[in-house]
Amino acid sequence: MPQVEGLIGRAVEKMIERSVRARFHTVFWRKADFEFRKPVIFVPNHHGWHDGYLMFHLIRRLQIECLDWITEFDAFPLFAKVGGMPFPADDPARRATTVRTTIRRMNEDRKSLILFAESDLHRPPEILPLGKALETVLKHVPGSQVVPVAIVYQMSLHERPEVALSVGAPVPDPNRESVREALETLHRRTTHHMQNPEQHFEVLVRGTLDVNERWDVRRRFGKK
């Protein structure tokens, strides 16, 4: 199954695109210098409501098909058409089914995985301890490449926030502690680079410009 499945998947994709363009001024990104070896487990921090939407844009740019465990999947089951899988907090049996299905598809189909290993959405900047799901998948999908992804939001210079996604180098001998440490380091570096994002990142999504950028009357009269 491709990342976007059929007409319904395309409609969900367009909804995600519209949401990101409407709510951000610019989405930046950068990738460490390495080659992907599938299956990949992307491990982002989880500091923002839009994290899943931003990761969708990232993996689409990287052209890596991923599964994605979604706690609130039942609120919008059509996410299944873009790789989403149910992972409800109050239903251990369904979570276990999703884990087993994920392991099978990673082994048989070489699917990759977006894993919000902190589990809970929370305020920055702390990176919470990672859950045991990461090591469960690693145990049953040997040789998976674990890649940290730092997501850093900034609200200051523009009407809408800017955000940067940094794709770090694969973690050697990955486990919960080593991946968390790599993600913490990457997040700190990305936060620092957001002081001058145009110098350190490329544009992943150009969102909505500030009202003064869109409606500056000086341009209309040739004064700017």
Side-chain angles (χ1 to χ4, degrees):
M1 183 188 77
Q3 191 66 50
V4 177
E5 183 181 0
L7 292 176
I8 295 176
R10 182 63 176 157
V12 175
E13 178 183 42
K14 288 297 184 183
M15 180 271 292
I16 293 172
E17 291 174 347
R18 286 193 302 270
S19 179
V20 169
R21 285 198 306 268
R23 286 162 175 81
F24 293 96
H25 182 277
T26 309
V27 179
F28 297 99
W29 82 298
R30 67 179 295 173
K31 173 187 170 296
D33 186 17
F34 71 95
E35 296 295 325
F36 286 108
R37 185 188 68 247
K38 300 176 184 177
V40 181
I41 304 174
F42 292 99
V43 182
N45 56 283
H46 202 10
H47 292 158
W49 189 94
H50 281 92
D51 289 344
Y53 286 11
L54 295 169
M55 286 300 299
F56 176 84
H57 281 81
L58 179 67
I59 64 168
R60 191 176 60 175
R61 174 65 65 90
L62 296 174
Q63 298 184 326
I64 297 179
E65 295 178 14
C66 287
L67 306 171
D68 183 8
W69 301 351
I70 302 175
T71 302
E72 298 292 332
F73 177 89
D74 290 339
F76 193 68
L78 296 182
F79 279 131
K81 298 299 183 180
V82 293
M85 302 179 73
F87 206 72
D90 59 352
D91 194 336
R94 288 183 73 198
R95 291 201 305 273
T97 297
T98 288
V99 172
R100 288 193 297 269
T101 302
T102 298
I103 289 169
R104 175 179 57 79
R105 295 183 69 184
M106 291 179 75
N107 281 314
E108 295 179 2
D109 305 329
R110 312 312 287 171
K111 290 284 187 180
S112 294
L113 174 66
I114 298 169
L115 179 60
F116 289 101
E118 295 177 279
S119 298
D120 295 328
L121 175 63
H122 64 100
R123 296 184 186 278
E126 183 184 7
I127 306 297
L128 299 180
L130 307 188
K132 65 180 181 180
L134 173 61
E135 291 180 345
T136 298
V137 176
L138 284 170
K139 177 181 177 182
H140 293 284
V141 191
S144 296
Q145 189 181 56
V146 179
V147 174
V149 180
I151 306 175
V152 174
Y153 297 87
Q154 185 182 86
M155 183 70 191
S156 59
L157 299 184
H158 295 285
E159 182 182 3
R160 290 167 176 78
E162 299 169 287
V163 59
L165 289 81
S166 291
V167 182
V171 180
D173 301 318
N175 56 54
R176 281 189 278 177
E177 288 306 315
S178 63
V179 175
R180 183 189 183 198
E181 181 179 344
L183 184 54
E184 286 177 329
T185 300
L186 183 63
H187 191 270
R188 285 194 299 269
R189 185 185 310 131
T190 305
T191 300
H192 177 70
H193 287 163
M194 277 298 281
Q195 295 177 26
N196 192 352
E198 290 82 1
Q199 178 180 337
H200 296 284
F201 302 100
E202 299 177 32
V203 173
L204 180 62
V205 181
R206 183 65 74 189
T208 302
L209 298 179
D210 303 341
V211 64
N212 56 295
E213 294 174 310
R214 301 195 308 271
W215 293 98
D216 192 334
V217 297
R218 291 171 293 184
R219 289 199 301 266
R220 297 174 182 268
F221 296 100
K223 295 182 179 180
K224 189 176 181 180

